[in-house]
Amino acid sequence: MGLNTTGFIIMPLPIPDNNQPYVYQDQILPIQKLKGGVNKKIMNKIISQINGMLTIYSRLLLVRVDIRLYQTNGKNTLIGKLMKQLVRALESHYKSKVGFFWVREQSTPKNNIHYHCFMMLDGRKAKNSFGLKPHFERACYLLADINYYFPDNCNYVINRNDINSLLLAIYRTSYLAKNHTKEFTPVGIRRFGCRSTQEK
């Protein structure tokens, strides 16, 4: 279904005590209250990526995964290599397109870099994070100084014709758009990355 762009509408808020309204293409969407405010560029890209994948698959699986590095500086070379390996392996396994979105964070200049990521897959073929685990294990084994973690409740299913499932997914993924912990990213280093729905 995607988001309706024909009018200005107000969507129901799923968690009344922890939400803030966010305007996207003449719609008011519920997102989380984010420390330091919301990065609109990141938030808009997240929504765009989800909608783009929903034009390809009627049922979409989003899997949240956290990535940690054993270093305090540097470019995003490792996350780029990790995502490249994962996309290749997952598309070969599921025989379908795989998307992703990641944000880079660092609590203080001395803390190690970490990333919050979402993998996006055809929900008719990929059911949950268990199917992704062996591919993450292998990819992280082949790359030094990196590990991964699937947090609790890391699976989100969106059905194209179920607007509530889409709204809930946007609400949950909005955590990645918080400004807090991104301020220590060095100048010239990307704070987020994704795979375009047009990429092959």
Side-chain angles (χ1 to χ4, degrees), residues 124-158:
R124 296 167 302 174
K125 296 181 178 180
K127 304 303 181 183
N128 52 52
S129 60
F130 292 109
L132 279 65
K133 186 174 181 179
H135 301 287
F136 270 89
E137 290 279 359
R138 176 172 173 76
C140 288
Y141 175 79
L142 294 173
L143 296 170
D145 300 329
I146 190 169
N147 64 23
Y148 75 96
Y149 168 70
F150 290 116
D152 293 338
N153 303 314
C154 63
N155 301 298
Y156 310 93
V157 175
I158 308 173

mmCIF file of all heavy atoms in Angstrom, residues 124-158:
data_model
loop_
_atom_site.group_PDB
_atom_site.id
_atom_site.type_symbol
_atom_site.label_atom_id
_atom_site.label_comp_id
_atom_site.label_asym_id
_atom_site.label_seq_id
_atom_site.Cartn_x
_atom_site.Cartn_y
_atom_site.Cartn_z
ATOM 1 N N ARG A 124 7.724 -13.236 2.154
ATOM 2 C CA ARG A 124 7.165 -14.538 1.778
ATOM 3 C C ARG A 124 8.227 -15.629 1.839
ATOM 4 O O ARG A 124 7.917 -16.813 1.925
ATOM 5 C CB ARG A 124 6.575 -14.462 0.378
ATOM 6 C CG ARG A 124 5.396 -13.510 0.226
ATOM 7 C CD ARG A 124 5.073 -13.265 -1.222
ATOM 8 N NE ARG A 124 6.235 -12.709 -1.939
ATOM 9 C CZ ARG A 124 6.279 -12.499 -3.248
ATOM 10 N NH1 ARG A 124 5.230 -12.818 -3.990
ATOM 11 N NH2 ARG A 124 7.355 -11.981 -3.801
ATOM 12 N N LYS A 125 9.493 -15.222 1.775
ATOM 13 C CA LYS A 125 10.594 -16.194 1.785
ATOM 14 C C LYS A 125 11.374 -16.162 3.099
ATOM 15 O O LYS A 125 11.741 -17.205 3.623
ATOM 16 C CB LYS A 125 11.524 -15.921 0.604
ATOM 17 C CG LYS A 125 10.862 -16.123 -0.747
ATOM 18 C CD LYS A 125 11.839 -15.874 -1.893
ATOM 19 C CE LYS A 125 11.173 -16.124 -3.238
ATOM 20 N NZ LYS A 125 12.111 -15.882 -4.377
ATOM 21 N N ALA A 126 11.660 -14.966 3.589
ATOM 22 C CA ALA A 126 12.386 -14.821 4.862
ATOM 23 C C ALA A 126 11.369 -14.601 5.973
ATOM 24 O O ALA A 126 10.533 -13.699 5.877
ATOM 25 C CB ALA A 126 13.355 -13.649 4.783
ATOM 26 N N LYS A 127 11.422 -15.420 7.016
ATOM 27 C CA LYS A 127 10.403 -15.383 8.061
ATOM 28 C C LYS A 127 10.842 -14.631 9.307
ATOM 29 O O LYS A 127 10.027 -14.019 9.986
ATOM 30 C CB LYS A 127 9.983 -16.801 8.435
ATOM 31 C CG LYS A 127 9.495 -17.633 7.249
ATOM 32 C CD LYS A 127 8.317 -16.980 6.525
ATOM 33 C CE LYS A 127 7.823 -17.818 5.360
ATOM 34 N NZ LYS A 127 6.734 -17.155 4.605
ATOM 35 N N ASN A 128 12.118 -14.725 9.665
ATOM 36 C CA ASN A 128 12.603 -14.060 10.873
ATOM 37 C C ASN A 128 14.140 -14.010 10.862
ATOM 38 O O ASN A 128 14.773 -14.449 9.900
ATOM 39 C CB ASN A 128 12.103 -14.783 12.136
ATOM 40 C CG ASN A 128 12.400 -16.264 12.100
ATOM 41 O OD1 ASN A 128 13.528 -16.690 11.876
ATOM 42 N ND2 ASN A 128 11.367 -17.086 12.309
ATOM 43 N N SER A 129 14.714 -13.514 11.946
ATOM 44 C CA SER A 129 16.164 -13.312 12.022
ATOM 45 C C SER A 129 16.963 -14.615 12.051
ATOM 46 O O SER A 129 18.151 -14.605 11.732
ATOM 47 C CB SER A 129 16.508 -12.492 13.268
ATOM 48 O OG SER A 129 16.092 -13.163 14.451
ATOM 49 N N PHE A 130 16.327 -15.719 12.416
ATOM 50 C CA PHE A 130 17.056 -16.988 12.498
ATOM 51 C C PHE A 130 17.656 -17.373 11.152
ATOM 52 O O PHE A 130 18.742 -17.940 11.079
ATOM 53 C CB PHE A 130 16.144 -18.103 13.015
ATOM 54 C CG PHE A 130 15.731 -17.929 14.442
ATOM 55 C CD1 PHE A 130 14.421 -17.579 14.761
ATOM 56 C CD2 PHE A 130 16.646 -18.095 15.474
ATOM 57 C CE1 PHE A 130 14.035 -17.399 16.077
ATOM 58 C CE2 PHE A 130 16.261 -17.915 16.805
ATOM 59 C CZ PHE A 130 14.957 -17.565 17.097
ATOM 60 N N GLY A 131 16.944 -17.075 10.084
ATOM 61 C CA GLY A 131 17.462 -17.402 8.766
ATOM 62 C C GLY A 131 18.650 -16.540 8.358
ATOM 63 O O GLY A 131 19.439 -16.929 7.490
ATOM 64 N N LEU A 132 18.793 -15.369 8.997
ATOM 65 C CA LEU A 132 19.895 -14.475 8.663
ATOM 66 C C LEU A 132 21.159 -14.776 9.463
ATOM 67 O O LEU A 132 22.273 -14.427 9.043
ATOM 68 C CB LEU A 132 19.499 -13.017 8.912
ATOM 69 C CG LEU A 132 18.673 -12.317 7.837
ATOM 70 C CD1 LEU A 132 17.295 -12.943 7.683
ATOM 71 C CD2 LEU A 132 18.560 -10.827 8.127
ATOM 72 N N LYS A 133 20.987 -15.417 10.617
ATOM 73 C CA LYS A 133 22.107 -15.589 11.542
ATOM 74 C C LYS A 133 23.329 -16.256 10.927
ATOM 75 O O LYS A 133 24.450 -15.753 11.083
ATOM 76 C CB LYS A 133 21.638 -16.358 12.780
ATOM 77 C CG LYS A 133 22.716 -16.451 13.853
ATOM 78 C CD LYS A 133 22.178 -17.096 15.128
ATOM 79 C CE LYS A 133 23.282 -17.153 16.187
ATOM 80 N NZ LYS A 133 22.796 -17.755 17.457
ATOM 81 N N PRO A 134 23.206 -17.401 10.228
ATOM 82 C CA PRO A 134 24.415 -18.029 9.673
ATOM 83 C C PRO A 134 25.144 -17.143 8.669
ATOM 84 O O PRO A 134 26.374 -17.208 8.554
ATOM 85 C CB PRO A 134 23.888 -19.304 9.016
ATOM 86 C CG PRO A 134 22.418 -19.103 8.851
ATOM 87 C CD PRO A 134 22.003 -18.220 9.972
ATOM 88 N N HIS A 135 24.407 -16.288 7.971
ATOM 89 C CA HIS A 135 25.030 -15.389 7.003
ATOM 90 C C HIS A 135 25.796 -14.270 7.719
ATOM 91 O O HIS A 135 26.869 -13.865 7.269
ATOM 92 C CB HIS A 135 23.968 -14.820 6.072
ATOM 93 C CG HIS A 135 23.221 -15.871 5.312
ATOM 94 N ND1 HIS A 135 23.783 -16.580 4.262
ATOM 95 C CD2 HIS A 135 21.962 -16.369 5.468
ATOM 96 C CE1 HIS A 135 22.903 -17.441 3.793
ATOM 97 N NE2 HIS A 135 21.795 -17.330 4.508
ATOM 98 N N PHE A 136 25.253 -13.796 8.837
ATOM 99 C CA PHE A 136 25.975 -12.807 9.641
ATOM 100 C C PHE A 136 27.209 -13.432 10.279
ATOM 101 O O PHE A 136 28.275 -12.803 10.358
ATOM 102 C CB PHE A 136 25.062 -12.225 10.720
ATOM 103 C CG PHE A 136 24.308 -11.007 10.286
ATOM 104 C CD1 PHE A 136 23.072 -11.132 9.676
ATOM 105 C CD2 PHE A 136 24.832 -9.741 10.474
ATOM 106 C CE1 PHE A 136 22.367 -10.012 9.257
ATOM 107 C CE2 PHE A 136 24.136 -8.615 10.069
ATOM 108 C CZ PHE A 136 22.899 -8.749 9.460
ATOM 109 N N GLU A 137 27.062 -14.669 10.759
ATOM 110 C CA GLU A 137 28.190 -15.359 11.375
ATOM 111 C C GLU A 137 29.364 -15.458 10.395
ATOM 112 O O GLU A 137 30.509 -15.154 10.730
ATOM 113 C CB GLU A 137 27.775 -16.766 11.818
ATOM 114 C CG GLU A 137 26.830 -16.804 13.003
ATOM 115 C CD GLU A 137 27.557 -16.647 14.330
ATOM 116 O OE1 GLU A 137 28.793 -16.527 14.327
ATOM 117 O OE2 GLU A 137 26.868 -16.647 15.363
ATOM 118 N N ARG A 138 29.075 -15.879 9.197
ATOM 119 C CA ARG A 138 30.126 -16.053 8.192
ATOM 120 C C ARG A 138 30.735 -14.711 7.787
ATOM 121 O O ARG A 138 31.951 -14.572 7.704
ATOM 122 C CB ARG A 138 29.564 -16.760 6.952
ATOM 123 C CG ARG A 138 30.581 -16.893 5.826
ATOM 124 C CD ARG A 138 30.090 -17.760 4.694
ATOM 125 N NE ARG A 138 31.006 -17.746 3.566
ATOM 126 C CZ ARG A 138 32.152 -18.396 3.513
ATOM 127 N NH1 ARG A 138 32.534 -19.130 4.563
ATOM 128 N NH2 ARG A 138 32.932 -18.323 2.452
ATOM 129 N N ALA A 139 29.891 -13.717 7.563
ATOM 130 C CA ALA A 139 30.389 -12.411 7.123
ATOM 131 C C ALA A 139 31.283 -11.775 8.186
ATOM 132 O O ALA A 139 32.333 -11.206 7.873
ATOM 133 C CB ALA A 139 29.219 -11.495 6.789
ATOM 134 N N CYS A 140 30.873 -11.853 9.454
ATOM 135 C CA CYS A 140 31.673 -11.267 10.531
ATOM 136 C C CYS A 140 32.952 -12.063 10.766
ATOM 137 O O CYS A 140 33.979 -11.506 11.171
ATOM 138 C CB CYS A 140 30.851 -11.183 11.817
ATOM 139 S SG CYS A 140 29.559 -9.919 11.772
ATOM 140 N N TYR A 141 32.905 -13.366 10.515
ATOM 141 C CA TYR A 141 34.109 -14.195 10.644
ATOM 142 C C TYR A 141 35.163 -13.787 9.607
ATOM 143 O O TYR A 141 36.367 -13.780 9.893
ATOM 144 C CB TYR A 141 33.739 -15.660 10.466
ATOM 145 C CG TYR A 141 34.931 -16.603 10.459
ATOM 146 C CD1 TYR A 141 35.541 -16.982 11.654
ATOM 147 C CD2 TYR A 141 35.427 -17.100 9.259
ATOM 148 C CE1 TYR A 141 36.638 -17.840 11.652
ATOM 149 C CE2 TYR A 141 36.521 -17.961 9.245
ATOM 150 C CZ TYR A 141 37.128 -18.321 10.449
ATOM 151 O OH TYR A 141 38.215 -19.164 10.435
ATOM 152 N N LEU A 142 34.701 -13.421 8.427
ATOM 153 C CA LEU A 142 35.623 -13.065 7.354
ATOM 154 C C LEU A 142 36.182 -11.651 7.499
ATOM 155 O O LEU A 142 37.178 -11.304 6.865
ATOM 156 C CB LEU A 142 34.919 -13.193 5.998
ATOM 157 C CG LEU A 142 34.506 -14.617 5.601
ATOM 158 C CD1 LEU A 142 33.673 -14.592 4.325
ATOM 159 C CD2 LEU A 142 35.735 -15.505 5.422
ATOM 160 N N LEU A 143 35.540 -10.845 8.345
ATOM 161 C CA LEU A 143 35.995 -9.470 8.571
ATOM 162 C C LEU A 143 36.520 -9.327 9.994
ATOM 163 O O LEU A 143 35.874 -9.754 10.947
ATOM 164 C CB LEU A 143 34.850 -8.484 8.355
ATOM 165 C CG LEU A 143 34.275 -8.405 6.939
ATOM 166 C CD1 LEU A 143 33.001 -7.561 6.948
ATOM 167 C CD2 LEU A 143 35.294 -7.809 5.980
ATOM 168 N N ALA A 144 37.667 -8.736 10.157
ATOM 169 C CA ALA A 144 38.232 -8.542 11.502
ATOM 170 C C ALA A 144 37.591 -7.330 12.175
ATOM 171 O O ALA A 144 37.064 -6.433 11.519
ATOM 172 C CB ALA A 144 39.737 -8.338 11.397
ATOM 173 N N ASP A 145 37.623 -7.333 13.513
ATOM 174 C CA ASP A 145 37.212 -6.159 14.306
ATOM 175 C C ASP A 145 35.745 -5.801 14.175
ATOM 176 O O ASP A 145 35.372 -4.624 14.197
ATOM 177 C CB ASP A 145 38.060 -4.937 13.935
ATOM 178 C CG ASP A 145 39.539 -5.159 14.178
ATOM 179 O OD1 ASP A 145 39.869 -5.911 15.113
ATOM 180 O OD2 ASP A 145 40.351 -4.604 13.428
ATOM 181 N N ILE A 146 34.876 -6.801 14.066
ATOM 182 C CA ILE A 146 33.448 -6.499 13.930
ATOM 183 C C ILE A 146 32.621 -7.652 14.503
ATOM 184 O O ILE A 146 33.008 -8.820 14.405
ATOM 185 C CB ILE A 146 33.095 -6.257 12.437
ATOM 186 C CG1 ILE A 146 31.678 -5.704 12.284
ATOM 187 C CG2 ILE A 146 33.269 -7.519 11.612
ATOM 188 C CD1 ILE A 146 31.380 -5.206 10.891
ATOM 189 N N ASN A 147 31.520 -7.316 15.166
ATOM 190 C CA ASN A 147 30.586 -8.356 15.598
ATOM 191 C C ASN A 147 29.159 -7.834 15.481
ATOM 192 O O ASN A 147 28.935 -6.654 15.194
ATOM 193 C CB ASN A 147 30.893 -8.847 17.024
ATOM 194 C CG ASN A 147 30.722 -7.769 18.076
ATOM 195 O OD1 ASN A 147 30.005 -6.798 17.876
ATOM 196 N ND2 ASN A 147 31.380 -7.934 19.205
ATOM 197 N N TYR A 148 28.179 -8.711 15.689
ATOM 198 C CA TYR A 148 26.784 -8.342 15.487
ATOM 199 C C TYR A 148 25.930 -8.839 16.641
ATOM 200 O O TYR A 148 26.325 -9.712 17.418
ATOM 201 C CB TYR A 148 26.255 -8.939 14.175
ATOM 202 C CG TYR A 148 25.982 -10.420 14.261
ATOM 203 C CD1 TYR A 148 24.703 -10.892 14.533
ATOM 204 C CD2 TYR A 148 27.007 -11.354 14.114
ATOM 205 C CE1 TYR A 148 24.455 -12.256 14.642
ATOM 206 C CE2 TYR A 148 26.768 -12.709 14.221
ATOM 207 C CZ TYR A 148 25.500 -13.156 14.490
ATOM 208 O OH TYR A 148 25.255 -14.493 14.616
ATOM 209 N N TYR A 149 24.734 -8.266 16.745
ATOM 210 C CA TYR A 149 23.817 -8.654 17.805
ATOM 211 C C TYR A 149 22.380 -8.393 17.344
ATOM 212 O O TYR A 149 22.074 -7.304 16.856
ATOM 213 C CB TYR A 149 24.112 -7.841 19.067
ATOM 214 C CG TYR A 149 23.063 -7.947 20.148
ATOM 215 C CD1 TYR A 149 22.892 -9.128 20.868
ATOM 216 C CD2 TYR A 149 22.237 -6.868 20.452
ATOM 217 C CE1 TYR A 149 21.925 -9.239 21.857
ATOM 218 C CE2 TYR A 149 21.273 -6.953 21.436
ATOM 219 C CZ TYR A 149 21.131 -8.140 22.141
ATOM 220 O OH TYR A 149 20.178 -8.245 23.111
ATOM 221 N N PHE A 150 21.520 -9.407 17.471
ATOM 222 C CA PHE A 150 20.096 -9.224 17.198
ATOM 223 C C PHE A 150 19.396 -8.872 18.516
ATOM 224 O O PHE A 150 19.337 -9.705 19.423
ATOM 225 C CB PHE A 150 19.468 -10.500 16.638
ATOM 226 C CG PHE A 150 19.911 -10.853 15.247
ATOM 227 C CD1 PHE A 150 20.632 -12.014 15.000
ATOM 228 C CD2 PHE A 150 19.605 -10.024 14.173
ATOM 229 C CE1 PHE A 150 21.042 -12.345 13.722
ATOM 230 C CE2 PHE A 150 20.002 -10.341 12.883
ATOM 231 C CZ PHE A 150 20.729 -11.510 12.662
ATOM 232 N N PRO A 151 18.883 -7.670 18.672
ATOM 233 C CA PRO A 151 18.195 -7.317 19.925
ATOM 234 C C PRO A 151 16.861 -8.046 20.038
ATOM 235 O O PRO A 151 16.378 -8.656 19.086
ATOM 236 C CB PRO A 151 17.988 -5.804 19.790
ATOM 237 C CG PRO A 151 17.985 -5.547 18.325
ATOM 238 C CD PRO A 151 18.911 -6.559 17.713
ATOM 239 N N ASP A 152 16.258 -7.988 21.208
ATOM 240 C CA ASP A 152 14.932 -8.588 21.404
ATOM 241 C C ASP A 152 13.925 -7.912 20.482
ATOM 242 O O ASP A 152 14.025 -6.716 20.180
ATOM 243 C CB ASP A 152 14.485 -8.426 22.857
ATOM 244 C CG ASP A 152 15.339 -9.234 23.823
ATOM 245 O OD1 ASP A 152 15.978 -10.213 23.378
ATOM 246 O OD2 ASP A 152 15.380 -8.876 25.022
ATOM 247 N N ASN A 153 12.947 -8.680 20.048
ATOM 248 C CA ASN A 153 11.884 -8.160 19.180
ATOM 249 C C ASN A 153 12.450 -7.463 17.945
ATOM 250 O O ASN A 153 12.054 -6.343 17.595
ATOM 251 C CB ASN A 153 10.988 -7.181 19.962
ATOM 252 C CG ASN A 153 10.371 -7.809 21.193
ATOM 253 O OD1 ASN A 153 9.849 -8.916 21.132
ATOM 254 N ND2 ASN A 153 10.447 -7.112 22.319
ATOM 255 N N CYS A 154 13.369 -8.151 17.288
ATOM 256 C CA CYS A 154 14.081 -7.539 16.158
ATOM 257 C C CYS A 154 13.370 -7.725 14.823
ATOM 258 O O CYS A 154 13.810 -7.174 13.810
ATOM 259 C CB CYS A 154 15.498 -8.105 16.064
ATOM 260 S SG CYS A 154 15.576 -9.884 15.738
ATOM 261 N N ASN A 155 12.280 -8.501 14.794
ATOM 262 C CA ASN A 155 11.578 -8.776 13.539
ATOM 263 C C ASN A 155 10.321 -7.911 13.399
ATOM 264 O O ASN A 155 9.535 -7.789 14.340
ATOM 265 C CB ASN A 155 11.163 -10.251 13.477
ATOM 266 C CG ASN A 155 12.353 -11.185 13.574
ATOM 267 O OD1 ASN A 155 13.227 -11.168 12.726
ATOM 268 N ND2 ASN A 155 12.383 -11.995 14.628
ATOM 269 N N TYR A 156 10.149 -7.318 12.236
ATOM 270 C CA TYR A 156 8.968 -6.516 11.944
ATOM 271 C C TYR A 156 8.425 -6.948 10.579
ATOM 272 O O TYR A 156 9.175 -6.945 9.604
ATOM 273 C CB TYR A 156 9.300 -5.026 11.902
ATOM 274 C CG TYR A 156 10.085 -4.551 13.096
ATOM 275 C CD1 TYR A 156 11.477 -4.509 13.058
ATOM 276 C CD2 TYR A 156 9.443 -4.152 14.263
ATOM 277 C CE1 TYR A 156 12.207 -4.088 14.147
ATOM 278 C CE2 TYR A 156 10.171 -3.721 15.361
ATOM 279 C CZ TYR A 156 11.555 -3.697 15.299
ATOM 280 O OH TYR A 156 12.284 -3.291 16.379
ATOM 281 N N VAL A 157 7.155 -7.275 10.523
ATOM 282 C CA VAL A 157 6.538 -7.693 9.269
ATOM 283 C C VAL A 157 5.563 -6.610 8.804
ATOM 284 O O VAL A 157 4.729 -6.138 9.582
ATOM 285 C CB VAL A 157 5.801 -9.039 9.428
ATOM 286 C CG1 VAL A 157 5.064 -9.388 8.137
ATOM 287 C CG2 VAL A 157 6.798 -10.145 9.790
ATOM 288 N N ILE A 158 5.692 -6.207 7.551
ATOM 289 C CA ILE A 158 4.790 -5.218 6.963
ATOM 290 C C ILE A 158 4.048 -5.879 5.812
ATOM 291 O O ILE A 158 4.661 -6.464 4.914
ATOM 292 C CB ILE A 158 5.557 -4.000 6.416
ATOM 293 C CG1 ILE A 158 6.493 -3.411 7.480
ATOM 294 C CG2 ILE A 158 4.581 -2.938 5.923
ATOM 295 C CD1 ILE A 158 7.400 -2.325 6.931
#
